Amino acid sequence: MGAGFGYSLAGDPIALIAVLAVVGVFGWALFSVRRMVRDEIAARRRIAELEIRLNEAEAAIAAEAHVLVIWRGRAETPDRVVGSMHGAANVPAEARDLVDFRNWLERDSAAALGTCLDELRHQGTPFNIGIRTAGGELLEADGRTAGGFATLRFRPLSGERRNIAALAHDAHKLGKQVERLSALLDAAPFPVWLRSADGKLAWVNQAYVASVDAPDGDSVIEGGIEIMGRASLDRASADPASGCAGRIHAVVGGAMRALDIYEVAVSDGRAGFAVDMTALENAEKELDRHIKAHTSTLNKLDTAIAIFGPDQRLRFHNAAYAALWPLDSKWLDTHPTDSEILDRLRALRCIPEQANYREWKTKQLQAYTTLETRENWWYLPDGRSLHVVCEQHPFGGVTYLYENVTKEIQLESRYNELIGVQRETLDNLEEGIVLLGSDGRLKLFNPAFARFWKLDLAFLETEPHIEDIARHGRRMVAESTAWDEVRYSVTKLDAERKPVTGKITAADRILQYVAVPLPDGNTLLTFADISDSTRMERALRDRADALEAADRLKNMFLSNVSYEIRTPLTSILGFAEGLQMGLAGPLTPKQQDYVRDIRRSSTDLKTIIDAIIDLTAIDAGAMELKLEKVDVTGLLETVADKLAQAIDDRDLTLNIEVGADVTSFIADPKRVEQVLSNLLSNAIGFSEPGGTIRVGARRSRNALQIWVSDSGRGIEPEFQQQAFERFQSRPVPGGHRGPGLGLAIVKSFVELHEGQVSLLSKINQGTTVLCTFPLDGPGSVQRGLGAQEARKTA
């Protein structure tokens, strides 16, 4: 299609109707002109015959009204004006006034006469035309040349000559109109054509020629080149009322274009034109893509959306809308009305309960006649809460937005409840709580804070600055530096703010404060009244100091007394042994028994004193272990041999059980022997005659476990927790009785070896004490961890 063929009439029906009317008029005029031309030729022949007759009768009509204007050469002013137009209506009476014919002729006649006069005077072209005055009177204007003269004669017309002249004048005028219309259609930016009665092309304009890439219009008509070519006519867009036959897609000007074909019937054929709809079709496709994209986007929204047209029918709804209501999707696709949807939702109990549903629905449907946006809250019977927004759609109708705010309302309710609980909690806390904003102003406080610092609640409600609060606080404390630290921790601009803690003595209170910077720039300041706890701490510290002093005094007393008792006790043992050996003479059997009891009691007392001395040394940290490699089997046998007499006296059986993988371990043999002697003595003392005692050793990973087990009466559960405490003893009537230091010594020596002691006892089933020693001696665990860490580092 040629240049300029881009104008589309699809969006302008008035212009389209106008073009159709012009085409119709043009067809009618074209064929009418042909007929009129034939009539004009015949009329001209008739006029010629009449002119001959008029010339022959010139003398007879000399008295006829006429005016002759004569120019000589190329002079602009007439040389002579003769004659008169007497009796002619709407014509100047004076002949000289006829020269300025533009004043008394109609515009078209004046223009035509002016053109003919110019051709007559400059080219010598004669003319004979009919002209019309401004009043509608027909005149004959005849121009001739003779020699060097140019003549113009005006004379009125009547009778047949008048009719012929009027016809010629109208034909000339119509021809000019047809000529202008033809030029207009030929220059039209869209293809226009005319068909004859047999359907062949009779005329095409330049746009048509350009659209089919033809050299000229004659080639198109002769070749019968159709603008549709081989393209098929899509009649889906046909509109018989407007004359649209359909749409084609053809290559025009090297590009594929969409053309709507229009043809209307005219006399002796059909007239047609093509409108380029490419831009509209592309816009429709682009609009369709946008609609699909918007539909896809809207379907992904959680907010339900429904769009109703001006006819109140559903035009669009997204997936959230279909999921919101229990409505059949197929029924929604039938585009029901807003009223029908409300009725169905009411039947399904999916709208708020209304006392007057009809009135409520009427108010809802008033949205189609109002411009303002309306917002409502729907609380449905099923417990859901909807925020409904209704607004006018730009193309008419309304748009509904349904936002399910059930969770938001529940969260808001829970949040408000939580805030209320927090508020009540803060108000009932014993600690003073203050929240200071990033601007240093008070944002939150509780009554305890106001009570601690004797601040008026009305003053605190004004959100005072930390400077004002600190100024009031300095007046109540002896040291003002504490409030300066608090103020600085709140107002400083360091990138890394750290918590600040301290104590403030205010009047009769001791307050511990903590200023904690929060991530949002605020600062949480707490004040805790620690007056009672401070007094209690002071009392406990004094009590602890007193207890430590008493413990030191006890240890000194026990140590001194033990040493003072040990010296005479050693003498008693020596003298008793001398008496038993007969150094003072022979003893009677009774005396032998006394001496034996003296030695036994002295030995027990010496054991107790040694235990007290050992415990005192352990408590003082003065006990040192002499570590060496200890043979386990030999150690157990040695202890058994020392207590063999006591075992035989009570008719007991001793079983020694040593694991095959047990050989030796690193320990202080004296202290381990002391541990086993105490355990075995307790087992002997608490065993019934004829019972069995088991002593054994086994290896467990990097530790050695030694146990002593008896089959005696056992230990009560409530006493088992106290069994390893000092001076805790449960004597058995008629049986073993001790000071309650045996198990305490065992526990202390085992823990001094960095081991552990455990006890298992059941009433009437016996007691088992298990001692666990590290195989490589004290410090082996730390040494092992250090070596492992060193290996990792290496």
Side-chain angles (χ1 to χ4, degrees):
M1 188 174 290
F5 186 61
Y7 179 74
S8 175
L9 299 177
D12 193 347
I14 296 176
L16 181 61
I17 294 173
V19 170
L20 292 175
V22 169
V23 172
V25 171
F26 169 73
W28 174 80
L30 185 62
F31 288 100
S32 297
V33 167
R34 291 180 180 177
R35 186 177 301 168
M36 292 173 64
V37 169
R38 290 196 298 270
D39 295 342
E40 183 181 3
I41 294 173
R44 287 185 181 276
R45 292 175 182 173
R46 180 63 177 168
I47 291 171
E49 293 176 358
L50 292 175
E51 286 181 352
I52 294 174
R53 294 179 182 181
L54 287 173
N55 290 333
E56 293 175 350
E58 185 176 356
I61 61 174
E64 184 183 1
H66 70 280
V67 173
L68 182 63
V69 183
I70 302 173
W71 286 271
R72 187 185 296 276
R74 296 183 180 275
E76 294 295 329
T77 305
D79 184 63
R80 208 174 354 166
V81 179
V82 297
S84 174
M85 292 295 290
H86 58 83
N90 301 314
V91 179
E94 295 296 331
R96 288 287 178 181
D97 295 336
L98 294 175
V99 177
D100 193 3
F101 53 84
R102 289 181 176 81
N103 294 332
W104 55 276
L105 290 179
E106 69 174 5
R107 186 175 59 182
D108 291 342
S109 296
L113 181 58
T115 301
C116 292
L117 279 176
D118 288 341
E119 293 178 356
L120 174 67
R121 297 182 59 198
H122 295 90
Q123 301 177 10
T125 304
F127 64 88
N128 184 276
I129 61 174
I131 57 177
R132 191 182 297 273
T133 66
E137 185 71 20
L138 283 174
L139 301 177
E140 179 184 10
D142 184 72
R144 305 288 181 193
T145 57
F149 296 94
T151 64
L152 171 62
R153 184 174 62 175
F154 295 103
R155 59 181 177 180
L157 296 175
S158 61
E160 188 176 357
R161 285 173 56 85
R162 180 183 179 90
N163 295 334
I164 294 174
L167 182 60
H169 180 270
D170 292 341
H172 177 75
K173 185 176 181 180
L174 182 59
K176 289 295 184 180
Q177 292 179 350
V178 171
E179 183 179 352
R180 288 194 293 269
L181 179 59
S182 178
L184 175 65
L185 293 177
D186 195 48
F190 52 88
V192 181
W193 63 90
L194 290 175
R195 298 183 186 274
S196 59
D198 57 0
K200 295 182 179 179
L201 290 174
W203 178 86
V204 294
N205 69 345
Q206 292 300 317
Y208 189 105
V209 174
S211 64
V212 297
D213 295 329
D216 51 42
D218 294 337
S219 301
V220 174
I221 295 173
E222 292 176 1
I225 303 175
E226 294 288 345
I227 191 172
M228 291 186 294
R230 296 182 179 179
S232 59
L233 185 65
D234 182 9
R235 299 187 180 276
S237 59
D239 184 10
S242 63
C244 180
R247 181 173 296 180
I248 66 169
H249 292 81
V251 178
V252 177
M256 181 63 70
R257 315 295 294 182
L259 305 175
D260 276 358
I261 305 300
Y262 291 82
E263 282 196 352
V264 294
V266 296
S267 58
D268 298 334
R270 297 182 67 83
F273 61 93
V275 180
D276 188 0
M277 305 299 290
T278 305
L280 178 60
E281 189 175 80
N282 291 338
E284 289 175 348
K285 292 180 180 178
E286 184 68 19
L287 179 61
D288 184 62
R289 286 194 293 270
H290 279 291
I291 290 175
K292 291 181 179 178
H294 290 165
T295 301
S296 176
T297 301
L298 293 177
N299 280 329
K300 295 176 182 177
L301 295 178
D302 293 333
T303 301
I305 299 174
I307 300 176
F308 291 83
D311 57 354
Q312 300 188 11
R313 288 193 172 274
L314 182 65
R315 297 291 182 83
F316 169 81
H317 67 279
N318 64 350
Y321 181 84
L324 180 64
W325 308 117
L327 299 175
D328 186 12
S329 58
K330 294 182 179 179
W331 181 73
L332 291 176
D333 292 338
T334 62
H335 306 292
T337 64
D338 196 353
S339 176
E340 293 173 346
I341 292 178
L342 290 176
D343 290 340
R344 184 160 293 193
L345 290 177
R346 183 198 180 198
L348 296 172
R349 299 189 75 246
C350 292
I351 60 174
E353 297 290 348
Q354 302 295 329
N356 191 338
Y357 169 72
R358 187 181 300 276
E359 180 181 353
W360 178 84
K361 186 175 76 169
T362 301
K363 291 181 180 179
Q364 295 296 316
L365 297 180
Q366 286 177 354
Y368 293 89
T369 58
T370 57
L371 296 178
E372 66 275 4
T373 300
R374 299 195 308 179
E375 294 188 26
N376 294 307
W377 295 87
W378 288 10
Y379 300 100
L380 307 185
D382 60 1
R384 291 182 296 172
S385 300
L386 301 181
H387 180 209
V388 182
V389 179
C390 176
E391 60 182 3
Q392 287 288 328
H393 195 274
F395 300 115
V398 296
T399 300
Y400 287 103
L401 286 83
Y402 302 87
E403 184 179 4
N404 191 343
V405 293
T406 306
K407 293 183 178 179
E408 287 79 356
I409 292 178
Q410 292 175 351
L411 289 176
E412 183 179 0
S413 176
R414 293 175 184 174
Y415 172 78
N416 293 335
E417 181 181 355
L418 180 61
I419 290 298
V421 171
Q422 290 179 347
R423 180 73 264 177
E424 289 296 324
T425 302
L426 291 176
D427 290 347
N428 290 280
L429 285 178
E430 294 295 332
E431 294 83 0
I433 306 294
V434 174
L435 181 65
L436 297 163
S438 57
D439 57 354
R441 291 196 169 275
L442 182 67
K443 302 299 181 183
L444 179 68
F445 67 93
N446 68 343
F449 173 76
R451 185 174 65 254
F452 288 165
W453 295 104
K454 297 180 174 58
L455 291 169
D456 187 15
L457 295 179
F459 169 72
L460 295 177
E461 291 291 346
T462 62
E463 297 186 0
H465 196 270
I466 183 62
E467 291 285 356
D468 301 328
I469 300 175
R471 190 180 303 111
H472 175 82
R474 291 191 195 97
R475 294 196 292 264
M476 297 182 59
V477 298
E479 297 181 1
S480 61
T481 57
W483 267 107
D484 292 336
E485 291 181 3
V486 173
R487 178 181 57 82
Y488 179 70
S489 67
V490 173
T491 58
K492 66 180 179 180
L493 300 177
D494 294 351
E496 294 183 0
R497 299 191 300 162
K498 296 181 179 179
V500 177
T501 61
K503 294 181 180 180
I504 300 178
T505 301
D508 57 344
R509 297 178 186 272
I510 300 176
L511 302 178
Q512 183 176 19
Y513 68 87
V514 179
V516 180
L518 302 179
D520 58 357
N522 296 336
T523 302
L524 180 65
L525 185 61
T526 63
F527 293 90
D529 188 355
I530 59 172
S531 303
D532 295 338
S533 60
T534 301
R535 297 188 189 97
M536 183 64 68
E537 180 183 357
R538 190 175 300 158
L540 290 176
R541 188 179 294 111
D542 295 342
R543 183 172 182 270
D545 293 341
L547 290 175
E548 289 179 1
D551 190 58
R552 287 193 299 270
L553 181 61
K554 179 200 69 173
N555 291 335
M556 291 175 60
F557 171 78
L558 292 176
S559 177
N560 292 332
V561 170
S562 297
Y563 279 109
E564 292 298 329
I565 295 176
R566 199 173 191 180
T567 301
L569 184 61
T570 303
S571 300
I572 292 173
L573 284 172
F575 288 137
E577 185 177 358
L579 291 173
Q580 192 174 16
M581 294 173 60
L583 295 178
L587 301 176
T588 63
K590 190 71 171 179
Q591 292 174 337
Q592 289 283 353
D593 293 336
Y594 289 155
V595 171
R596 190 179 303 109
D597 291 338
I598 291 173
R599 288 190 62 187
R600 185 181 302 110
S601 298
S602 298
T603 301
D604 291 341
L605 181 59
K606 182 177 181 297
T607 303
I608 294 173
I609 293 174
D610 289 340
I612 292 174
I613 293 174
D614 289 340
L615 289 174
T616 303
I618 292 174
D619 292 340
M623 175 69 70
E624 294 184 1
L625 298 177
K626 296 179 181 180
L627 301 177
E628 61 181 69
K629 192 173 184 179
V630 179
D631 179 53
V632 177
T633 304
L635 177 64
L636 297 180
E637 291 177 350
T638 299
V639 173
D641 291 342
K642 287 183 178 182
L643 297 174
Q645 185 62 42
I647 294 172
D648 293 338
D649 292 344
R650 295 185 63 84
D651 192 20
L652 300 175
T653 302
L654 177 64
N655 295 331
I656 299 177
E657 304 170 359
V658 180
D661 57 345
V662 175
T663 55
S664 61
F665 70 110
I666 303 299
D668 186 335
K670 179 180 177 183
R671 302 306 178 189
V672 176
E673 180 180 342
Q674 193 172 349
V675 167
L676 293 176
S677 297
N678 287 338
L679 293 178
L680 190 55
S681 296
N682 284 344
I684 295 171
F686 287 100
S687 295
E688 298 292 337
T692 301
I693 299 175
R694 296 171 55 248
V695 178
R698 64 184 176 214
R699 184 169 179 174
S700 176
R701 296 184 180 180
N702 295 326
L704 177 68
Q705 293 180 341
I706 300 176
W707 72 89
V708 176
S709 177
D710 63 65
S711 57
R713 62 182 301 276
I715 303 175
E716 294 82 356
E718 59 274 11
F719 182 70
Q720 292 181 13
Q721 298 295 332
Q722 307 172 6
F724 290 99
E725 296 180 8
R726 300 175 186 180
F727 303 105
Q728 296 294 327
S729 176
R730 289 291 186 272
V732 179
H736 180 75
R737 178 182 178 88
L741 294 176
L743 290 179
I745 288 291
V746 170
K747 183 175 183 295
S748 298
F749 282 157
V750 172
E751 290 180 350
L752 197 62
H753 282 80
E754 297 181 0
Q756 295 178 347
V757 179
S758 59
L759 180 145
L760 177 62
S761 178
K762 292 184 179 181
I763 298 299
N764 299 324
Q765 293 186 15
T767 301
T768 300
V769 179
L770 178 66
C771 301
T772 303
F773 297 90
L775 279 175
D776 297 330
S780 60
V781 176
Q782 285 76 8
R783 291 195 300 272
L785 292 176
Q788 184 178 2
E789 194 67 29
R791 286 194 297 272
K792 289 182 180 179
T793 305

